[in-house]
Amino acid sequence: MAPTDELEYLKHLVAQLNDKIHALEAKAKAAVPSRQTPAQQLRTILMGPPGAGKGTQAPRIRDEFCVCHLATGDMLREQIAQKTDLGKMAKKIMDAGELVTDDIVVGMIKNQLEYNKACKNGFVLDGFPRTIAQAEKLDAMLDSRGEKLDSVVELLIDDQLLISRITGRLIHPASGRTYHKEFQPPKKDLLDDVTGEPLIQRSDDNAETLRKRLVTFHKQTGPVAGYYKTKGLWHGIDAAQSPSVVWDNLGKVFRAPPAKS
């Protein structure tokens, strides 16, 4: 074979090999399922009585799944501090000694979903809804956005154990980080591990006040759990276990196939 013919043959062979490589790469790429992070599907509610561990688990859900943590109390204070229209309405109602309406709270949640970039992948809602009426308003708002909940998780724990938990609870006011004098003490007594700032004990973290709050919680929120059970969204998790075990069980819920509506 003449050198020029051999050269052309080799070029043709290389071209064929390149085509074959590209075809195999395309086939392999098509065979690998697209990787969606759980965050792209995670719209959840975290329920539970005061002291059940929502303050421990919700920030971890936020960080692990890249979603926003919407705690209604924090949102309300933020809206008032920023003097938004919703904040002004809420402040006026609160100054009159009345409760903020459900519509205002749902409006604040909607505002976060629309304008908070951290909510683009989903959310974990903490502290709302507390009644069936609130749950229905939340459903209607999400439906108007073409969205729906993936799950509702309730942290279940005996009232008496909660009382022992709460009465030893310490809080870092700026971040909301929680500690416990006995079960999860800070590295330095009464000081936040991250900032070194003083920790506080909330004035309502006492047995008498907590018992009253628990009665209210069970009366109001028990029916809410029933509401979501009928929709196939509710999951109960034993919150008396260690935080790491609770976290593992939460992960199983969030990574499970979505409930069929």
Side-chain angles (χ1 to χ4, degrees):
M1 183 183 294
T4 53
D5 292 339
E6 185 176 6
L7 181 61
E8 290 302 318
Y9 170 75
L10 290 174
K11 286 182 178 179
H12 178 68
L13 186 59
V14 169
Q16 284 185 317
L17 287 172
N18 281 333
D19 289 342
K20 186 68 173 176
I21 289 170
H22 292 152
L24 289 172
E25 286 178 341
K27 187 176 180 180
K29 187 175 181 180
V32 177
S34 60
R35 292 179 59 84
Q36 283 192 319
T37 65
Q40 291 174 301
Q41 301 298 322
L42 185 61
R43 297 182 182 90
T44 191
I45 293 172
L46 192 60
M47 295 174 57
K54 299 190 301 298
T56 297
Q57 300 297 343
R60 190 168 181 181
I61 296 169
R62 175 198 65 205
D63 296 341
E64 179 75 13
F65 292 87
C66 304
V67 297
C68 60
H69 172 206
L70 301 181
T72 50
D74 293 342
M75 283 192 296
L76 186 58
R77 286 186 287 272
E78 181 182 346
Q79 293 282 333
I80 291 173
Q82 293 180 355
K83 297 182 179 180
T84 64
D85 289 341
L86 283 171
K88 291 176 182 176
M89 289 171 59
K91 188 175 186 304
K92 186 176 180 180
I93 293 170
M94 292 168 68
D95 287 346
E98 299 175 5
L99 293 175
V100 176
T101 65
D102 295 346
D103 288 333
I104 288 180
V105 178
V106 172
M108 289 192 298
I109 296 170
K110 183 178 181 181
N111 181 270
Q112 289 291 313
L113 298 184
E114 291 180 352
Y115 300 109
N116 185 347
K117 292 181 180 179
C119 297
K120 67 178 181 179
N121 291 326
F123 59 83
V124 51
L125 190 54
D126 171 7
F128 189 91
R130 296 179 185 272
T131 65
I132 290 179
Q134 291 176 350
E136 291 173 340
K137 287 181 182 292
L138 177 64
D139 281 348
M141 185 273 287
L142 291 174
D143 186 62
S144 72
R145 292 173 49 82
E147 299 176 353
K148 61 181 181 179
L149 291 168
D150 299 305
S151 59
V152 176
V153 180
E154 183 172 7
L155 301 180
L156 305 169
I157 187 168
D158 181 74
D159 285 1
Q160 196 55 46
L161 179 55
L162 272 179
I163 291 171
S164 65
R165 275 189 178 186
I166 286 288
T167 51
R169 185 166 66 173
L170 299 169
I171 298 174
H172 179 239
S175 68
R177 277 186 291 275
T178 58
Y179 303 84
H180 193 279
K181 293 177 181 178
E182 181 181 352
F183 305 129
Q184 190 185 357
K187 294 175 183 177
K188 292 185 178 180
D189 191 34
L190 300 179
L191 297 178
D192 178 50
D193 288 350
V194 178
T195 65
E197 295 171 344
L199 301 174
I200 66 166
Q201 185 165 25
R202 283 174 32 170
S203 60
D204 57 351
D205 280 354
N206 61 77
E208 183 180 355
T209 301
L210 181 57
R211 285 192 181 94
K212 293 178 181 178
R213 291 171 67 192
L214 288 172
V215 168
T216 301
F217 172 83
H218 293 309
K219 183 178 179 180
Q220 287 187 336
T221 315
V224 176
Y227 173 83
Y228 287 120
K229 285 178 183 178
T230 61
K231 292 177 173 289
L233 293 171
W234 182 90
H235 303 266
I237 289 181
D238 181 4
Q241 305 172 98
S242 70
S244 61
V245 174
V246 173
W247 172 250
D248 289 341
N249 289 328
L250 284 169
K252 293 174 184 176
V253 172
F254 298 148
R255 292 183 174 89
K260 294 181 180 180
S261 55

